[in-house]
Every structure is written in structure tokens, then in C-alpha cells.
Amino acid sequence: MNARPSRPSPVRPVPLGPRSVVSLCLVSAVGVAAFGWPLLASRESDLVGHSADAPWLFALLMPLLLAVLVAQLSEGRRATGAPGLDAKAVAMLGVLAAAGAALRPLGAGTAGLEPMFFLMVLSGRALGPGFGFVLGALAMFASGLLTGGVGPWLPFQMLAMGWVCLGAGLLPGAAALRGRGELALLAGYGVVSAVAYGTVMNLQGWPYIGGLGTAISFVPGDPLPANLLRFALYCLTTSLGWDLPRAALTAVLCLTVGGPLLRTLRRATRRAAFR
């Protein structure tokens, strides 16, 4: 009897090599510092003076994203000798980023419903963590230009969406898990990532817009547990009503249209000969 052919390994237009991992870790470290530094600020820190630092973060973020792409070009594929990021991968990156940007206005501003999340989760799953991180950041940047949502929050949104896609690409079972099990995994991840995205974005603005002298206000120099408790109350009272609908919509879309879209994405990578 002929042996049953094994399932092919997942195709990833932007595979993760050593330089790519270093670049992603550097971008993520910058992001963690940008989001979390106020929690370690002293009482004498000038938080108001730092509230306008977003342009500096954006100026740092774009070269770091470019560094991820350059890492792919320099590393290449050890098995085939093809470049890690070629014209076909760039074209797919542009198409998916444009699609995500076009989906965002369909629900933005309506109870937190953002259909672009399910596309970003599925794209990160089908195309890998490296491709996913760059895609998430670029899709959020494009959507900001499309919707006029350019402001101090944009670089933080780019980082947070990049992490959402990166996490989807790192989910287990990329080579073997298919069908309802995979869709259930992605739906569950969609719920967690949608709520986590809102929580992380709250952390970006809370030290500056939480108000003063209330039970949910940020207090510079207070012990970290006390500020985290106030932050949890801030999230519960201000954004959970937006995060939960976003999570529910992402899960529903993953379960209903996730299968055909995943197959389309995987078929596109095979036909483009990314392998």
C-alpha cells in the first residue's frame, strides 16, 4: 500500500528567521515601554509634558517595521534560496492591508464593532507571525489615513494590532489543525485578542484622560498594584461595553466565514509559489 501523503507544512510568505525574531522583539520592547512606562513614573514626573510623545514613537516605529522587512530580505529561505520577502509577498501584504483598512469604517463608532479584526486574525493564522505583525501595523496605519483617525493614538494602535496578528500566527496546530477545531481556536483567540486590544489601548490614554481625584484615576508614584486596580475599574466602567461587542463580532465572523477565507488565503499562497 502506498503511504498516505503527509499534510504540507504551512506556507508563510514572511518566515521568521533569527534577524526577524530580533527585529520583532525590539519593536515589541519599544511598544511595551511606550504603553507601560507611566506605571513606573514617580510623583514628580511630568506626564502632561509626555502626552505629546506619539510623533516620536511613530518616527521610531516606522524604521523598526522596515527593519523587520529588511531582515526578511537579507535572510532569505535556506531551503529554496528565494528571498524571504519577494514582490508577491509585498503585493499580498498591500492587498490585505487595504482590505483591513476598508473593513474598519463599516463598524467603527458603532458599539465597538470592528469587522477588520477577524480578517487580521485569519491572515495572521494563515500567513504566519512575521507577516501578521507587519500586516496588522500597516492595516491600522492605512485605516487611520482612510478614516481620518490620525492622532497620538495611531502608533499605539499600530503596535497593538501588530501584536494581535502576531499572536494569531503563533497559535498551535498551524500545520495539522483544520476544520471546526481550528475555527473554534480562532474564535476563542478573537475574543481574547479583541478584549486585550481594548485594554492595551486604554493603558495608552488612561494616565492622561482618566481625570484627577477619582477612584479610577491614575496616580503617579503610587504602588503598582494600586494603580492596576484603578486601571481595571477604569476598563470596566469605560470600555468594556465596546470591547465585548468587538469580541463577539470577531468570534461570529471567524466561525461563519472563517473556513472559506482561510482556504482562500492558503490557496493564494500556494498559487503564488511562496513555497
Side-chain angles (χ1 to χ4, degrees):
M1 294 179 60
N2 293 331
R4 184 177 179 181
S6 59
R7 185 186 298 273
S9 60
V11 180
R12 289 182 174 174
V14 185
L16 283 182
R19 293 190 183 92
S20 304
V21 171
V22 170
S23 300
L24 285 171
C25 289
L26 180 59
V27 176
S28 296
V30 170
V32 170
F35 277 106
W37 76 266
L39 294 176
L40 304 178
S42 65
R43 294 185 183 275
E44 293 77 22
S45 298
D46 182 15
L47 290 180
V48 176
H50 286 284
S51 62
D53 287 349
W56 298 104
L57 176 61
F58 183 79
L60 180 61
L61 176 60
M62 296 308 291
L64 290 176
L65 286 176
L66 180 61
V68 177
L69 301 184
V70 171
Q72 304 304 314
L73 289 169
S74 63
E75 286 176 330
R77 296 174 186 264
R78 297 179 184 273
T80 64
L85 184 71
D86 56 11
K88 297 173 184 177
V90 172
M92 180 170 285
L93 180 66
V95 169
L96 290 175
L103 281 175
R104 193 179 181 205
L106 298 181
T110 307
L113 301 177
E114 294 184 74
M116 76 173 295
F117 266 76
F118 96 98
L119 176 62
M120 296 295 101
V121 169
L122 296 180
S123 298
R125 172 66 170 180
L127 303 171
F131 191 100
F133 183 87
V134 178
L135 170 63
L138 291 182
M140 190 58 72
F141 175 68
S143 71
L145 297 179
L146 181 64
T147 61
V150 177
W153 53 83
L154 182 57
F156 295 94
Q157 289 177 328
M158 292 170 62
L159 283 165
M161 186 58 75
W163 288 333
V164 168
C165 298
L166 173 68
L170 293 174
L171 291 174
L177 185 61
R178 294 292 185 270
R180 294 181 180 178
E182 183 178 33
L183 295 181
L185 174 67
L186 293 174
Y189 175 78
V191 170
V192 173
S193 62
V195 174
Y197 173 88
T199 302
V200 169
M201 286 306 302
N202 284 340
L203 185 59
Q204 175 265 324
W206 172 58
Y208 313 111
I209 64 176
L212 298 174
T214 69
I216 61 174
S217 298
F218 173 70
V219 180
D222 260 23
L224 183 61
N227 268 327
L228 289 179
L229 177 59
R230 296 188 190 98
F231 178 64
L233 293 174
Y234 176 82
C235 293
L236 288 173
T237 56
T238 60
S239 71
L240 195 61
W242 293 75
D243 297 338
L244 292 180
R246 182 194 301 120
L249 178 64
T250 302
V252 169
L253 291 176
C254 285
L255 292 173
T256 54
V257 301
L261 184 54
L262 276 174
R263 289 192 292 271
T264 300
L265 290 170
R266 286 166 174 155
R267 187 182 306 116
T269 59
R270 288 194 297 270
R271 290 184 175 179
F274 286 133
R275 295 176 64 81

